[in-house]
């Protein structure tokens, strides 16, 4: 089971200064070969292994022990999202950096941002593939689509999505042939089926005045999971209806999924700690996978074999998962 890629901006919070290395707690260790001082770290799992981007630096590992430094991203480009397509890594950038890809054997990342136009269109917070189409979630200009087998660039793909807050797209994923996006902060998501060019609005929770965001999705085959800023949700009908499966004790500013063959993990970042939960029943129930990490602001998690990796504001750690 692989989590779709969706990554958002860096979290703030207590603890050490941003980028200042800190000693890992008992049960965790620093990952050698990957920079430990960075403003953001994001991960994705692909056929070539696990990727992690630390600022401009991008690394890949097939076994979790040996990390290969890939060609750095261009100057002033910091990855906000990563995905592997046809064995090649693609990166969406913060701060209007656009999209880049690293072809096999290339000595530099190639910009692939033609057509990303408009306020926030080049700040790409998420990438998801459906068939031979690549979708980009942007910070202010809705969604864009690129045909992977054509030379033409990106085109706006947001028909049916209101042009107010809903053009701030926090998450995007593919599930059962549908593209599903979380946007707007009002308890709605948007679904685009393969036979339609229009996005359809679906409420995953009734809006009562409190902000409701979806930070990420996880495709578990028959079920789709979503992690919001206040709760975890689960759908068994391709995103049409949703049930709350876990309520958080405090506001969550970032959430990411990862999985093994037997369990799903979710990272929940709050203002005071990072919590990692585990589900062994397809997301119906959740329990702590590790002790809460006080003062740590998690950015992302990834799994290779039996090792869980955590990227956070002060480094890159790993721990061995318990059966």
């Amino acid at each position: 089971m692989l989590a779709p890629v969706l990554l958002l901006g860096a979290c703030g919070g207590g603890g050490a200064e941003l980028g200042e290395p800190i000693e890992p707690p008992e049960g965790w260790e620093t990952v050698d070969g990957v920079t430990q001082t960075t403003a953001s770290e994001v991960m994705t799992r692909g056929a070539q292994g696990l990727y992690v981007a630390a600022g401009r630096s991008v690394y890949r590992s097939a076994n979790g022990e040996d990390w290969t430094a890939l060609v750095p991203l261009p100057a002033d480009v910091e990855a906000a999202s990563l995905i592997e397509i046809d064995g090649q890594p693609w990166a969406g950038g913060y701060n209007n950096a656009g999209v880049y890809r690293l072809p096999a054997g290339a000595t530099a990342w190639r910009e692939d941002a033609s057509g990303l136009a408009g306020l926030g269109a080049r700040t790409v917070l998420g990438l998801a593939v459906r068939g031979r189409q690549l979708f980009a979630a942007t910070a202010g200009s809705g969604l864009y689509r690129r045909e992977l087998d054509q030379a033409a660039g990106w085109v706006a793909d947001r028909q049916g999505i209101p042009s107010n807050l809903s053009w701030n797209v926090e998450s995007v994923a593919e599930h059962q042939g549908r593209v599903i996006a979380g946007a707007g902060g009002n308890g709605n998501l948007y679904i685009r089926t393969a036979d339609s060019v229009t996005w359809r609005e679906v409420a995953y929770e009734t809006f009562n005045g409190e902000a409701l965001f979806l930070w990420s999705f996880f495709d578990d085959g028959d079920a789709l999971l979503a992690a919001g800023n206040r709760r975890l949700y689960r759908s068994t009908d391709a995103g049409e209806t949703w049930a709350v499966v876990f309520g958080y004790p405090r506001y969550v500013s970032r959430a990411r999924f990862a999985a093994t063959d037997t369990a799903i993990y979710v990272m929940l970042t709050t203002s005071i700690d990072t919590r990692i939960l585990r589900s062994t029943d397809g997301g119906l129930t959740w329990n702590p996978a590790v002790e809460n990490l006080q003062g740590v602001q998690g950015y992302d998690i990834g799994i290779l074999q039996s090792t869980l990796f955590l990227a956070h504001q002060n480094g890159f750690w790993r721990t061995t998962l318990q059966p």
Side-chain angles (χ1 to χ4, degrees), residues 156-237:
D157 194 322
R158 57 199 179 210
Q159 184 174 329
I161 302 178
S163 59
N164 47 28
L165 292 180
S166 295
W167 277 13
N168 291 305
V169 184
E170 295 94 26
S171 52
V172 63
E174 185 276 338
H175 176 67
Q176 296 183 3
R178 298 178 167 200
V179 183
I180 301 177
N186 57 2
N188 292 326
L189 55 80
Y190 297 87
I191 296 175
R192 186 179 184 281
T193 58
D195 59 354
S196 175
V197 297
T198 300
W199 295 81
R200 180 165 46 86
E201 186 175 274
V202 172
Y204 62 88
E205 184 166 345
T206 301
F207 181 63
N208 63 4
E210 67 175 10
L212 293 170
F213 299 101
L214 290 182
W215 297 139
S216 60
F217 294 101
F218 181 82
D219 185 352
D220 192 39
D222 291 336
L224 179 66
L225 304 176
N229 59 324
R230 300 181 186 277
R231 286 166 276 277
L232 289 176
Y233 307 87
R234 187 173 187 267
S235 173
T236 56
D237 55 8

Side-chain angles (χ1 to χ4, degrees), residues 142-154:
L143 289 120
Y144 283 76
R145 184 188 76 254
R146 188 195 189 289
E147 304 295 330
L148 291 169
D149 295 328
Q150 298 179 14
W154 296 87

